[in-house]
Amino acid sequence: MKVYITLTGLSDWAVFNSLWAAIRLRNYIPDKIYIFTIKKRRKQAELAKRRFRVLLGEYGKRSQIDIVEVKEADFVASGKRINEIVKKEKNLGNTIAIEITPGRKAMVAGALASGIQGRADFVFYLYLENIDYADNLFLRIPLMVQHSHEFMEEIKSANK
């Protein structure tokens, strides 16, 4: 199974567009999704969950989607929780992708550390060259201003 771990942040569209980019640009269509959020972004996570269901349905998937609430600005606790999930899913033989694009710094720091320590298979980041497009749908943003990164691959390449 493919597992996708994502984070909520300031932009509703960043959460949605990041998954869409993983599907379109990386052919990563998850079977299970974990949306990490903080209490005050719970509604955003619920919205992402509904949007994900529609998007995944277009690809013939009916994925399990869980929302995981963590404390705001506690990168250690959120990192530990992400790490627990990565280890659990890896022990089940699943492939793990962590998406850091939409997250706030504290959660991103925890997610990156977890991804590397927990041996995530992929750590995705969708960089927008021009943030004027940030509140648009993925396909309405010119591809020339979107840059898809996969950090685990980039780290391996840099260490050769």
Side-chain angles (χ1 to χ4, degrees):
M1 276 188 13
K2 289 183 178 178
V3 175
Y4 182 82
I5 298 169
T6 191
L7 318 167
T8 58
L10 297 176
S11 169
D12 293 341
W13 288 116
V15 179
F16 181 72
N17 287 342
S18 298
L19 175 59
W20 204 350
I23 291 169
R24 293 280 306 240
L25 303 176
R26 302 271 177 190
N27 196 33
Y28 196 89
I29 306 171
D31 302 289
K32 186 188 282 187
I33 298 174
Y34 293 93
I35 303 170
F36 274 74
T37 192
I38 57 174
K39 187 174 187 171
K40 70 181 178 185
R41 300 239 183 264
R42 181 70 189 214
K43 287 182 182 177
Q44 181 188 39
E46 295 289 347
L47 174 62
K49 184 175 180 175
R50 290 192 302 276
R51 287 177 174 169
F52 286 176
R53 288 208 187 287
V54 173
L55 178 63
L56 292 162
E58 292 297 314
Y59 289 90
K61 282 280 189 180
R62 188 164 163 77
S63 304
Q64 177 184 334
I65 304 172
D66 295 329
I67 295 173
V68 180
E69 202 170 291
V70 294
K71 290 183 180 176
E72 186 170 7
D74 190 344
F75 74 93
V76 173
S78 61
K80 281 183 179 178
R81 187 69 182 110
I82 292 169
N83 205 28
E84 289 169 7
I85 288 171
V86 170
K87 285 181 180 178
K88 177 185 87 168
E89 295 294 345
K90 286 301 278 184
N91 286 338
L92 294 171
N94 297 329
T95 302
I96 313 296
I98 297 176
E99 174 64 68
I100 63 169
T101 304
R104 301 283 310 263
K105 287 180 179 79
M107 267 203 281
V108 168
L112 272 173
S114 301
I116 293 166
Q117 291 172 355
R119 307 283 190 263
D121 299 284
F122 306 101
V123 176
F124 296 138
Y125 176 66
L126 183 63
Y127 170 69
L128 277 185
E129 206 173 287
N130 184 338
I131 61 167
D132 292 339
Y133 292 104
D135 289 328
N136 288 290
L137 282 171
F138 173 69
L139 291 180
R140 290 189 174 190
I141 303 170
L143 289 175
M144 67 185 146
V145 301
Q146 297 186 69
H147 305 282
S148 177
H149 293 273
E150 198 287 289
F151 288 144
M152 300 305 277
E153 179 181 285
E154 291 178 20
I155 289 168
K156 287 176 189 168
S157 289
N159 288 330
K160 286 184 178 178

